[in-house]
Amino acid sequence: MRQWLKGLALLVAITCLVWVGVLWYWQATSRDMSPEDIVLYLGLLPLVVFGLVLLARWALRAAVASAVAQEAAAAAQAAATASPAPSSAGQQERHAAFKLLAAGLSCAAGQSAREVAGALAEGAPRPAPDKVLRDDEGLPVLCARIEALDTAALQQAWEGVCTAAKADLQMAETAQVAVDDAVQRALSALQAPLQQCLAQLAAWSERFAMPDAEAPQAATSALPAGLRVFTAWPSHWSPIERAVAQAWVKHCLKQESAEWLAPSQLRLMPSTAGGGIALWLEADRALRASQREGLPEVVLLLSCQSDLSDARLSQLQREASLFTHASPKAGVAAESAVALALADETWPDLPDAPATPMRLHRAAVIQRDKPIEAAGRVSAQVAEQVVQQAAAAAELPLSEVSALISDADQHSPRGAELFSVLVAQLPQLDAAEDTLVAGALWGRTGPTAPLMLVALAAHRAEMNQQPCLALSVDDSVARMALVLRPPAAADAEPTKSTS
């Protein structure tokens, strides 16, 4: 329609110009016009000129396209000559997979991936007006609260945790530790997922066992495995709050893994800045490095967050980042916690386990050119690209993806972004049956969002016994996608790819 209107406007402009020129010429020469002159000069001549203009424009575009194609071909040939093809080792590492040994999560929608999946299928419980918290206008805040959150364990260990945090920051013993109530709720929510994860890892206690000093060296040919712990905390937490979180994690790790893990095998890394996606990339690098060095290692990812305090809600409202009637596209206040344990493909499966670990292919991560909340048209180009790259890393056609799990919501531009991906890249999926939109139930969960998404997608892949795609769009700029496969599908994939 737009092209047709442009063509019509060009025809009208050419007709007016031709008529003005012809009429001026006839008046200047006092020409006596015949009917044939009127038809020829005022009727046919504008059409002839219009056709010549279109022909000239077509010739110009063809010449430009030909020149661009020649330049692109020359550049591709030069790049192919200058850059050697990637090595087979690099290709293998790109298409390698992880094993998800254990997972635990806690959010308003449930206390496990199974509970969250059931809540998503039923569409409840959804965020609701809070009974305690109010916004600046005195209205109840819509939030996703973890009901009956147990904070007793944190309170019992609070004094020791604060002392350890002050020692890490080299603060005076008499200094006061100021921690927001939301931080305490977030750390309390982390305890249960961490306990679930460590309890599942304890099944590999023989793999973590230290060799007997009195036994012959030949009897202990395999090195004991280590546990490296990575954490990511919300960006608005203060340094003392981060130090308290690290001390709380250290306390829980020592308490829950003392029976099967020696202190020398446990490494708590400094907290990662940049959120859940940055945490995932750091774990990816650590696993690849340990695999190249031949070191048996499990990587444990931990994160938690909570917005449920007066101070935090006031901050969100000042930033127009809280869902209210004045900012209907902002995030819903929420709280959540997650723990994931990953290992490389060489990690042994348990012979008597009811289920073998899920396979996770390497994630694709791309940054948007502007935040999703920015004014203007919502572009899903980056989300589509990250989905394509994740499928390429898994060597899986997108047409074979059986389900899509996303942390998008239904009230912000993230929903439109997810819908565009479904229509353009995954038309075989049913939007109601094959797609779970988790953000609609668990709210805006910050650094925990992509990690909880992995746990939820792993549960879906296990239930369906088919590949599942996880797409994280919770962050304002970063987009992450990865493919999860049940063990049977992962083992069959190399045979399929060669056929």
Coordinates of all heavy atoms in Angstrom, one line a residue, residues 55 60 65 72 83-84 90 96 108 125 136 147 176 181 186 215 218 274 303 312 316 355 384 400 410-411 439 476 491:
L55 N 12.2 3.4 -15.0 CA 13.2 2.5 -15.6 C 14.6 3.0 -15.1 O 15.5 2.1 -14.8 CB 13.1 2.7 -17.1 CG 14.1 1.8 -17.9 CD1 13.8 0.3 -17.7 CD2 13.9 2.1 -19.4
L60 N 19.4 2.0 -11.7 CA 20.3 2.4 -10.6 C 20.4 1.5 -9.5 O 21.4 1.1 -8.9 CB 19.9 3.8 -10.1 CG 20.7 4.5 -9.0 CD1 22.1 4.7 -9.5 CD2 20.1 5.8 -8.6
A65 N 23.1 -2.8 -6.3 CA 23.0 -4.2 -5.7 C 24.2 -5.0 -6.3 O 24.8 -5.8 -5.5 CB 21.7 -4.8 -6.0
A72 N 30.8 -7.8 -1.2 CA 30.6 -8.8 -0.2 C 31.3 -10.1 -0.5 O 31.9 -10.8 0.3 CB 29.1 -9.1 0.0
S83 N 41.4 -16.2 7.5 CA 41.1 -16.9 8.8 C 40.9 -18.4 8.5 O 40.1 -18.8 7.6 CB 39.8 -16.4 9.3 OG 39.9 -15.0 9.6
P84 N 41.7 -19.3 9.1 CA 41.5 -20.7 8.9 C 40.2 -21.2 9.5 O 39.6 -20.5 10.4 CB 42.7 -21.3 9.7 CG 43.0 -20.3 10.7 CD 42.7 -18.9 10.1
G90 N 37.7 -27.0 18.8 CA 36.9 -25.8 19.0 C 35.4 -26.1 18.7 O 34.5 -25.7 19.4
A96 N 29.5 -29.0 22.9 CA 29.6 -29.8 24.1 C 28.4 -29.5 25.0 O 27.7 -28.5 24.8 CB 30.9 -29.7 24.9
A108 N 7.2 -17.5 44.6 CA 5.8 -17.4 45.0 C 5.0 -18.5 44.3 O 3.9 -18.9 44.9 CB 5.3 -16.1 44.6
P125 N -0.8 -19.8 41.7 CA -1.2 -18.5 42.2 C -0.5 -17.3 41.5 O 0.7 -17.4 41.2 CB -0.8 -18.5 43.7 CG 0.5 -19.4 43.6 CD 0.2 -20.4 42.6
D136 N 3.5 4.6 47.5 CA 3.5 6.0 48.0 C 2.2 6.6 48.2 O 2.0 7.6 48.9 CB 4.4 6.8 47.0 CG 5.9 6.4 47.1 OD1 6.2 5.7 48.0 OD2 6.6 6.8 46.1
E147 N 4.9 -17.3 50.6 CA 4.2 -17.4 51.8 C 4.9 -18.3 52.8 O 5.6 -19.3 52.5 CB 2.8 -18.0 51.5 CG 2.0 -17.1 50.6 CD 1.6 -15.7 51.2 OE1 1.7 -15.6 52.5 OE2 1.3 -14.8 50.5
Q176 N 28.2 -1.3 63.2 CA 26.8 -1.8 63.0 C 26.7 -2.4 61.6 O 27.2 -1.9 60.6 CB 25.8 -0.7 63.3 CG 25.8 -0.2 64.7 CD 25.4 -1.2 65.7 OE1 24.5 -2.0 65.5 NE2 26.1 -1.2 66.9
D181 N 15.4 -5.5 55.3 CA 14.6 -6.7 55.6 C 14.5 -7.6 54.4 O 14.4 -8.8 54.5 CB 13.2 -6.3 56.1 CG 13.3 -5.6 57.4 OD1 14.3 -5.8 58.2 OD2 12.3 -4.9 57.8
A186 N 15.4 -12.7 51.4 CA 16.0 -13.4 50.2 C 17.0 -14.5 50.7 O 17.0 -15.6 50.1 CB 16.8 -12.4 49.3
A215 N 46.1 -46.1 52.4 CA 45.9 -47.1 51.3 C 47.0 -46.9 50.3 O 47.6 -45.8 50.2 CB 44.5 -46.8 50.6
A218 N 48.2 -46.9 44.3 CA 47.5 -47.4 43.1 C 46.0 -47.6 43.3 O 45.2 -47.7 42.4 CB 48.1 -48.8 42.8
G274 N 26.7 -8.4 37.6 CA 26.1 -8.5 36.3 C 24.8 -9.3 36.2 O 24.2 -9.4 35.1
S303 N 21.7 -18.0 43.8 CA 21.3 -16.6 43.7 C 19.9 -16.4 44.4 O 19.2 -17.4 44.5 CB 21.1 -16.2 42.2 OG 20.8 -14.8 42.1
R312 N 13.0 -1.0 49.9 CA 13.2 -1.5 48.5 C 12.0 -1.0 47.6 O 12.3 -0.6 46.4 CB 13.3 -3.0 48.5 CG 13.4 -3.6 47.1 CD 14.6 -3.1 46.3 NE 14.7 -3.7 45.0 CZ 15.3 -3.1 44.0 NH1 15.9 -2.0 44.1 NH2 15.3 -3.7 42.8
L316 N 12.2 1.3 44.2 CA 11.7 0.9 42.9 C 10.7 1.9 42.4 O 10.7 2.2 41.2 CB 11.0 -0.5 43.0 CG 11.9 -1.7 43.2 CD1 11.1 -2.9 43.5 CD2 12.7 -1.9 42.0
A355 N 16.5 -41.5 37.7 CA 16.5 -40.6 36.5 C 18.0 -40.2 36.4 O 18.6 -39.8 37.4 CB 15.6 -39.5 36.6
E384 N 15.2 -13.5 18.6 CA 15.2 -14.5 17.5 C 16.6 -15.0 17.2 O 16.8 -16.2 17.0 CB 14.6 -13.9 16.3 CG 13.1 -13.6 16.4 CD 12.5 -13.0 15.2 OE1 13.1 -13.2 14.1 OE2 11.4 -12.4 15.2
E400 N 12.4 -29.2 15.8 CA 12.3 -30.3 16.6 C 12.2 -29.9 18.1 O 12.1 -30.8 19.0 CB 13.5 -31.2 16.5 CG 13.6 -31.8 15.1 CD 14.8 -32.8 14.9 OE1 15.3 -33.2 16.0 OE2 15.1 -33.1 13.8
Q410 N 3.2 -10.9 30.9 CA 2.1 -10.7 30.0 C 1.6 -9.2 30.0 O 0.6 -8.9 29.3 CB 0.9 -11.6 30.3 CG 1.2 -13.0 30.2 CD 0.1 -13.9 30.7 OE1 -0.7 -13.5 31.5 NE2 0.0 -15.1 30.1
H411 N 2.4 -8.3 30.6 CA 1.9 -6.9 30.7 C 3.0 -5.9 30.2 O 2.8 -4.7 30.2 CB 1.5 -6.6 32.1 CG 2.7 -6.5 33.1 ND1 3.2 -7.7 33.7 CD2 3.5 -5.5 33.6 CE1 4.2 -7.4 34.5 NE2 4.4 -6.1 34.4
G439 N 7.2 -15.6 34.0 CA 7.2 -14.3 34.6 C 5.8 -13.8 35.1 O 5.7 -13.0 35.9
S476 N 16.9 -6.3 31.2 CA 16.5 -5.2 30.3 C 17.2 -5.2 29.0 O 16.7 -4.8 27.9 CB 16.8 -3.8 31.0 OG 16.0 -3.6 32.1
D491 N 21.8 -38.8 23.7 CA 22.6 -39.9 23.2 C 22.3 -40.2 21.8 O 23.2 -40.7 21.1 CB 22.4 -41.1 24.1 CG 22.8 -40.9 25.5 OD1 23.7 -40.0 25.7 OD2 22.4 -41.6 26.5

